[in-house]
Amino acid sequence: MWSGRWSNCANPLAHRLMEVSVRKQSLVCLAADLNSVDELVGLIDEVGPHIAALKTHVDMVDDFSPDSWSRVVNAAKENDLLLFEDRKFADIGKISQGQMAGIYDIRNWADIVTAHRISGPDIVDGIAAGWADVERIGGVLLLAQMSSRGNLLDLQYTVETIETGRGSPHVIGYIGNGSNANEIVELRRMVGEGQMIWTPGVNITTGDGDMGQRYGHPRDAVLAGSDIIIVGSGIHGSTDRIAAAKEYAAVSFQALLER
Ligand code: S5P
């Protein structure tokens, strides 16, 4: 089903994701952008069976504590979800290693994190060292493109980012601009088959979102070469969140079958 991607992606986390996506018939990573642990756990319990991964912004949760957060981690485990903390690390390698620890202790529960390439290639080693400090292994998604208007990630930046990630055992793939199918096609051409592309900026209602966000259709994103669609408000902002999750799952999986 995943054809070339299955045989070419070396990272074991990529294989785990592909397996979960087939079992659940969904390429959806839920962007669970809610402000309390209760709300997060409630949402995961509702839509967990229809999503393949869970993305968090731990630093926007009002009632975070190491104890309360374990409820989110457990809910993810019960639903067979890889946990992806969208931290967007951007500092020098050594500081990124330190930021994997601290109050949120991301290294101890996140399987995947995002990082910008802006500070240099060594950020990847810094993050990997953070996981190594607690004897865990995780995957980095480098931001190669963004969905927000006016972002500064131009073509040369994208090329350098892929150069950093190519062949790295720590880089599972790239964030691409889900709002623009042409950009995804271009990104896939540069990345090849060996790493994943995850795309935010997708919504069944396409066009401009809040505060500079832009949306493309999930079907177009997958057909263009995206492996996982990152969906936030399209699901958590819906009046019927289960129906919405099912719809994004069906659209994305059908597009994979066609691809
Ligand atoms: O370029 C990007 C990269 C990311 S990771 N654009 C994004 O929107 N994101 C994230 O995807 C963002 O942090 C948010 O959690 C999610 C999009 O949410 P939505 O509500 O617009 O679907």
Side-chain angles (χ1 to χ4, degrees), residues 31-33 55 57 84 86 88 114 143 145-148 151 175-177 200-203 213 215 230-234 236:
D33 297 331
K55 186 174 90 64
H57 282 298
F84 163 18
D86 189 9
K88 298 188 179 73
T114 35
L143 286 116
Q145 297 173 340
M146 290 194 76
S147 64
S148 44
N151 72 72
I175 296 292
N177 175 12
V202 292
N203 198 296
Q213 177 68 302
Y215 292 115
I230 297 175
V231 185
S233 38
H236 68 69

